[in-house]
């Protein structure tokens, strides 16, 4: 159900206090005047006199009226009474004649009854009375607010006598929008009934079975029977008939004048008007035609549901202080006959989205409906002004206008509507129409507000609470719209909402600050479920720990990337682990690996730095034949795959080779020098040996040459 405030509807005739006052007057009148006494002595007791009435109201939709019949039975069983009373007796004295002497005389009182009293509806017509004997009359006596007191006079009914009276009249249904509270039409009826009978009475109400009735009896009860197309509500004989009253409200579904309209998105809206009220029919039709397209555009969706949305005319008295109501389970908007307030139809139609199935907080449904209404009427939702109630405003404690609502109650209710409208429309205005559609889509689809990198978490099916609404407004509305004050929305809500959950707003503020700082820090990285879920669930301690953990992981990976860019740490496996972390444990594990990666990267980077540093000749000699690059490449690969042990081993390998290089160089150089000396000595030896040999050969050749005359050279 949803409703709209409006104080212009007056109360009906059925108000308890009004009736109590009315009957107070009746009883006083009855008690002083019912007994007509024949004797000169006043008799006060009513013993033996009975006045019992059976009142029947018959709903007559075809004629638009109630037909009322009151059958009254007056009986007099009060016996005559005789008492001795002082009197003067005349005594005859032969001497002096008659003279008076005091004495007592019997006096008989004879009781009769010749009138009764009734309350008849002020608008009654064709009032008539008949009696089974004697003359009878009916005349109005005292007039009251809704009922007039009538006196029915009839022939004297003496002891042992009984008289049957029948009073009939008609109560025509009031015209639509008239002050007369009774409505009796082909589609809709609303009326109240009473009981008559000074010494007791019963009431019967008869209506066609096609009418579905809501019955609200007071100081009595009905039993219901059905026969021949009529349903009958019957009370027992009630000793105090004056205390009883009951109100009937109902409709005949086949009695409405129906017309069907279609929204731009194709949703059917069925208008159900009273056949007797073409003005309402035309006005409602015009307002629906104007509103539905704008509403669908505002929300970004077709009107929800599958069957037709029904807009039904109801009596304004039925709605009390409200101009309309909406029942989501039936998709029925009940709009009062007093269709004098622009936007009521739009407001109620918008409740097809904004109702208890979407929001747990009533202020969100009403605030959203008022916001929707204001966008159509152009009448903005203004600041509500000073709170008229005691204490502080609290729209979370939504107040309803019951039949006994005081003026102060109604002012508080109006304030709540105004405040809710102001909160919703202010924030919707800051978000802008496109982003507001996104906000509503998320809420309607139960999608959580904190989302990142394509991850959209779902809320459980069922209505969303004000916290989910606030998150959606903030994260999908205000932040994308560039509102930099992260507390703007929650501060506005806190002005009017005193709910206990408000106490969590400071923690929410801190967590959201950290959340958005993280989003700014991590560049292209996404924020994982490990953060999103506790943010969405308002578990801010866990969310904060997760935010800090992701921040630490990103810092570690950034450190690794800075130390060893070629390892590609920022977009490596840590990113995948972090972005896929479903909870804090997984995120912590990823952060630990990120720390390992940084350590490994720094180790390999250090080794790489050492490997590429300038080398002295000795080191160069020591490293001849040693290729560090494969080790460094393996180290980089180990960093990329977060294999800390391998990375360290490769770095150590490089470092060890570098450390060993000078010594090895020295050894090699020493060995090289030894080899040169040895080779030199060998050369001399060869030279010398060869010179001696040559000397020997020269001598031999000389001997040969002396024979051949030739000379030769060797070497
Ligand atoms: Zn409403």
């Amino acid at each position: 159900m949803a409703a709209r405030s409006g104080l212009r509807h007056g109360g009906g005739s059925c108000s308890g206090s009004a009736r109590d006052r009315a009957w107070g007057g009746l009883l006083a009148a009855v008690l002083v005047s019912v007994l007509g006494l024949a004797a000169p002595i006043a008799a006060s007791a009513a013993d033996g006199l009975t006045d019992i009435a059976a009142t029947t109201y018959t709903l007559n939709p075809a004629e638009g009226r109630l037909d009322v019949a009151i059958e009254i039975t007056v009986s007099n069983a009060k016996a005559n009474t005789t008492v001795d009373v002082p009197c003067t007796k005349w005594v005859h004295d032969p001497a002096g004649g008659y003279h008076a002497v005091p004495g007592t005389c019997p006096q008989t009182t004879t009781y009769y009854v010749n009138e009764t009293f009734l309350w008849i509806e002020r608008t009654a017509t064709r009032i008539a009375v008949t009696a089974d004997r004697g003359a009878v009359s009916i005349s109005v006596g005292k007039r009251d607010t809704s009922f007039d007191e009538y006196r029915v006079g009839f022939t004297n009914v003496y002891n042992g006598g009984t008289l049957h009276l029948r009073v009939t009249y008609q109560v025509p249904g009031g015209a639509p929008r008239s002050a007369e509270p009774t409505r009796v039409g082909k589609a809709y009826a609303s009326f109240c009934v009473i009981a008559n009978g000074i010494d007791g009475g019963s009431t019967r109400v008869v209506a066609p079975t096609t009418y579905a009735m809501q019955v609200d009896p007071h100081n009595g009860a009905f039993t219901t029977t059905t026969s021949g197309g009529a349903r009958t509500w019957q009370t027992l004989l009630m000793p105090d008939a004056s205390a009883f009253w009951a109100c009937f409200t109902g409709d005949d579904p086949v009695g409405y004048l129906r017309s069907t309209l279609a929204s731009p998105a194709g949703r059917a809206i069925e208008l159900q008007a009273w056949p007797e009220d073409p003005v309402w029919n035309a006005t409602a039709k015009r307002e629906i035609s104007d509103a539905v397209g704008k509403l669908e555009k505002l929300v970004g969706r077709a009107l929800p549901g599958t069957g037709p949305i029904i807009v039904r005319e109801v009596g304004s008295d039925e709605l009390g202080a409200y101009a309309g109501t909406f029942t989501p389970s039936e998709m029925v908007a009940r709009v009062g006959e007093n269709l004098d307030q622009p936007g009521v139809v739009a407001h109620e139609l918008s409740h097809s989205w904004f109702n208890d199935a979407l929001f747990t907080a009533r202020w969100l449904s009403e605030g959203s409906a008022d916001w929707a209404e204001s966008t159509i009427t152009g009448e903005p939702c203004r600041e509500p002004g000073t709170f008229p109630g005691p204490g502080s405003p609290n729209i979370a404690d939504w107040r309803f206008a019951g039949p006994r609502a005081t003026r102060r109650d109604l002012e508080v209710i109006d304030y709540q509507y105004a405040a809710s409208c102001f909160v919703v429309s202010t924030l919707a205005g800051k978000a802008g129409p496109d982003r507001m559609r996104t906000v509503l889509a998320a809420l309607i689809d139960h999608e959580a507000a904190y989302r990142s990198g394509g991850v959209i978490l779902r809320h459980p099916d069922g209505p969303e609470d004000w916290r989910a609404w606030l998150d959606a407004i903030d994260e999908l509305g205000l932040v994308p719209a560039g509102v930099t004050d992260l507390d703007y929305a929650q501060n506005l809500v806190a002005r009017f909402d005193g709910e206990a959950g408000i106490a969590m707003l400071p923690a929410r503020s801190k967590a959201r600050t950290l959340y958005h700082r993280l989003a700014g820090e991590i560049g292209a990285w996404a924020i994982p479920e490990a953060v999103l879920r506790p943010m969405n669930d308002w578990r801010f301690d866990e969310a904060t720990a997760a935010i800090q953990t992701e921040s630490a992981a990103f810092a570690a990976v950034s450190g690794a990337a800075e130390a060893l860019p070629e390892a590609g740490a920022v977009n490596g496996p840590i990113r995948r682990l972090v972005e896929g972390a479903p909870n804090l444990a997984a995120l912590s594990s990823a952060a630990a690996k990120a720390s390992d990666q940084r350590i490994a990267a720094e180790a390999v980077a250090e080794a790489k730095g050492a490997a590429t540093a300038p080398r002295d000749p000795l080191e160069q000699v020591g490293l001849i034949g040693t290729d560090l690059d494969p080790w460094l490449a393996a180290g980089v690969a180990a960093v990329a795959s977060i294999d800390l042990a391998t990375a360290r081993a490769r770095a150590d390998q490089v470092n060890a080779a570098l450390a060993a290089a000078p010594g090895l160089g020295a050894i090699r150089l020493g060995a090289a020098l030894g080899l040169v000396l040895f080779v030199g000595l060998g050369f001399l030896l060869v030279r010398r040996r060869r010179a001696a040999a040559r000397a020997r050969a020269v001598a031999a050749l000389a001997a040969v040459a002396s024979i051949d005359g030739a000379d030769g050279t060797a070497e």
Side-chain angles (χ1 to χ4, degrees):
M1 186 198 96
R4 172 184 177 74
S5 175
L7 302 179
R8 66 194 183 290
H9 302 296
S13 67
C14 305
S15 90
S17 59
R19 288 285 290 155
D20 289 346
R21 280 198 302 276
W23 272 106
L26 171 63
L27 286 175
V30 165
L31 288 175
V32 297
S33 57
V34 67
L35 297 175
L37 301 177
I41 300 166
S44 58
D47 300 334
L49 296 175
T50 54
D51 181 317
I52 303 292
T55 305
T56 300
Y57 291 81
T58 302
L59 183 68
N60 188 342
E63 300 297 333
R65 67 176 193 238
L66 295 169
D67 294 323
V68 186
I70 309 172
E71 307 282 350
I72 307 165
T73 301
V74 178
S75 300
N76 184 353
K78 187 172 179 61
N80 296 345
T81 56
T82 302
V83 294
D84 287 335
V85 296
C87 64
T88 299
K89 294 184 175 178
W90 292 95
V91 178
H92 184 259
D93 181 346
Y98 285 97
H99 59 92
V101 295
T104 60
C105 307
Q107 185 179 62
T108 298
T109 302
T110 301
Y111 299 93
Y112 69 87
V113 59
N114 64 357
E115 63 181 355
T116 187
F117 293 83
L118 304 168
W119 286 111
I120 292 180
E121 285 78 355
R122 183 121 215 217
T123 55
T125 59
R126 295 177 176 270
I127 300 169
V129 59
T130 58
D132 59 358
R133 62 186 164 81
V136 63
S137 65
I138 186 163
S139 58
V140 66
K142 193 170 63 176
R143 292 195 181 273
D144 211 316
T145 308
S146 304
F147 288 78
D148 292 333
E149 179 197 324
Y150 279 78
R151 175 187 176 277
V152 179
F154 45 85
T155 188
N156 293 351
V157 179
Y158 291 99
N159 174 251
T162 296
L163 184 73
H164 297 284
L165 299 159
R166 178 179 170 84
V167 176
T168 56
Y169 60 90
Q170 298 171 355
V171 180
R177 291 170 292 287
S178 65
E180 159 58 32
T182 298
R183 297 284 179 273
V184 182
K186 293 185 175 66
Y188 182 84
S190 177
F191 56 92
C192 296
V193 301
I194 60 169
N196 289 286
I198 293 163
D199 298 302
S202 61
T203 294
R204 174 166 44 189
V205 177
V206 182
T209 51
T210 50
Y211 254 88
M213 284 290 187
Q214 300 288 321
V215 183
D216 183 20
H218 299 260
N219 304 315
F222 287 110
T223 55
T224 309
T225 55
T226 302
S227 174
R231 183 168 292 118
T232 300
W233 291 261
Q234 176 72 60
T235 71
L236 298 173
L237 178 66
M238 299 173 287
D240 183 6
S242 66
F244 171 80
W245 56 285
C247 291
F248 286 66
T249 302
D251 67 350
D252 180 350
V254 303
Y256 290 100
L257 179 66
R258 292 163 191 261
S259 42
T260 301
L261 297 87
S263 78
R267 294 284 287 112
I269 296 143
E270 183 177 297
L271 190 59
Q272 299 182 352
W274 301 344
E276 306 84 7
D277 193 359
V279 172
W280 188 95
N281 191 39
T283 307
K285 199 176 281 186
R286 193 170 58 246
E287 291 203 8
I288 290 170
S289 301
D290 180 51
V292 284
K294 292 175 181 172
L295 287 173
E296 288 184 335
K297 188 176 175 203
L298 186 72
V299 177
R301 300 198 171 193
L303 286 162
T306 50
I309 296 169
I310 293 165
V311 178
R312 181 178 296 156
E313 182 174 10
V314 299
S316 288
D317 273 349
E318 181 183 334
L319 298 173
Y322 297 93
T325 65
F326 188 85
T327 307
S329 58
E330 302 169 354
M331 292 302 261
V332 173
R334 291 176 174 81
V335 176
E337 63 195 292
N338 286 350
L339 201 49
D340 53 0
Q341 189 173 320
V344 171
V345 169
H347 179 105
E348 299 306 334
L349 280 177
S350 80
H351 274 312
S352 59
W353 290 290
F354 307 133
N355 55 54
D356 292 350
L358 179 62
F359 295 128
T360 57
R362 180 58 63 96
W363 74 263
L364 282 175
S365 293
E366 293 304 343
S368 301
D370 269 355
W371 161 68
E373 177 189 331
S374 78
T375 63
I376 286 167
T377 61
E379 185 67 29
C381 301
R382 295 193 168 86
E383 285 227 39
T386 307
F387 181 55
S392 305
N394 184 9
I395 51 178
D397 179 19
W398 193 257
R399 307 288 291 277
F400 296 91
R404 295 178 191 278
T406 63
R407 183 168 191 80
R408 169 70 71 87
D409 293 338
L410 295 175
E411 285 172 357
V412 169
I413 289 163
D414 269 359
Y415 179 93
Q416 292 195 320
Y417 273 92
S420 304
C421 186
F422 179 66
V423 170
V424 174
S425 66
T426 300
L427 298 177
K430 281 203 173 292
D434 280 343
R435 283 177 284 269
M436 200 56 196
R437 281 187 277 273
T438 306
V439 167
L440 292 174
L443 292 165
I444 291 168
D445 295 338
H446 305 292
E447 292 178 349
Y450 292 94
R451 46 182 74 174
S452 179
V455 174
I456 299 178
L457 301 176
R458 285 186 58 80
H459 285 159
D461 288 347
E464 302 283 347
D465 68 10
W466 67 277
R467 298 180 299 184
W469 179 86
L470 182 62
D471 287 346
I473 284 283
D474 268 330
E475 293 302 316
L476 306 175
L478 303 194
V479 170
V483 175
T484 53
D485 179 2
L486 291 175
D487 293 343
Y488 183 85
Q490 72 174 44
N491 287 344
L492 187 62
V493 170
R495 265 181 65 192
F496 302 103
D497 187 342
E499 188 170 298
I502 293 291
M504 298 184 71
L505 292 180
R508 178 178 186 266
S509 175
K510 286 180 187 168
R512 291 188 69 237
T513 300
L514 293 174
Y515 176 86
H516 286 285
R517 189 180 297 160
L518 174 72
E521 279 173 6
I522 58 177
W525 277 28
I527 298 177
E529 182 181 349
V531 173
L532 300 176
R533 190 169 293 284
M535 285 299 290
N536 281 315
D537 294 347
W538 284 42
R539 289 181 280 120
F540 296 123
D541 287 347
E542 183 183 333
T544 299
I547 288 167
Q548 290 167 341
T549 304
E550 179 171 9
S551 182
F554 186 78
V557 168
S558 298
E562 192 180 341
L564 198 67
E566 60 269 44
V570 170
N571 291 311
I574 298 296
R575 177 178 178 178
R576 290 191 291 279
L577 288 172
V578 166
E579 290 182 339
N583 51 45
L584 182 57
L587 194 56
S588 298
S589 169
K593 285 188 165 64
S595 178
D596 282 354
Q597 190 174 39
R598 180 180 200 156
I599 293 166
E602 286 171 351
V604 172
E606 190 184 341
K608 179 187 162 195
T612 54
R615 295 176 193 143
D616 61 26
L618 211 56
E619 289 170 330
Q620 291 177 27
V621 170
L623 286 172
I624 289 171
T626 302
D627 189 355
L628 300 176
D629 287 346
W631 296 341
L632 287 171
V636 170
V639 169
S641 63
I642 322 167
D643 181 353
L644 179 59
T646 301
R648 275 183 164 153
R650 295 290 86 80
D652 288 350
Q653 216 168 0
V654 170
N655 290 334
L658 290 171
L664 188 59
I667 292 168
R668 283 178 174 171
L669 205 56
L673 285 171
L675 184 63
V676 168
L677 200 62
F678 178 76
V679 169
L681 287 170
F683 177 75
L684 288 171
L685 201 60
V686 169
R687 292 267 310 177
R688 288 187 179 178
R689 281 183 181 161
R690 285 189 176 174
R694 189 172 60 185
R696 285 193 297 275
V698 168
L701 287 171
V704 173
S706 61
I707 299 168
D708 297 337
D711 198 1
T713 57
E715 307 303 329

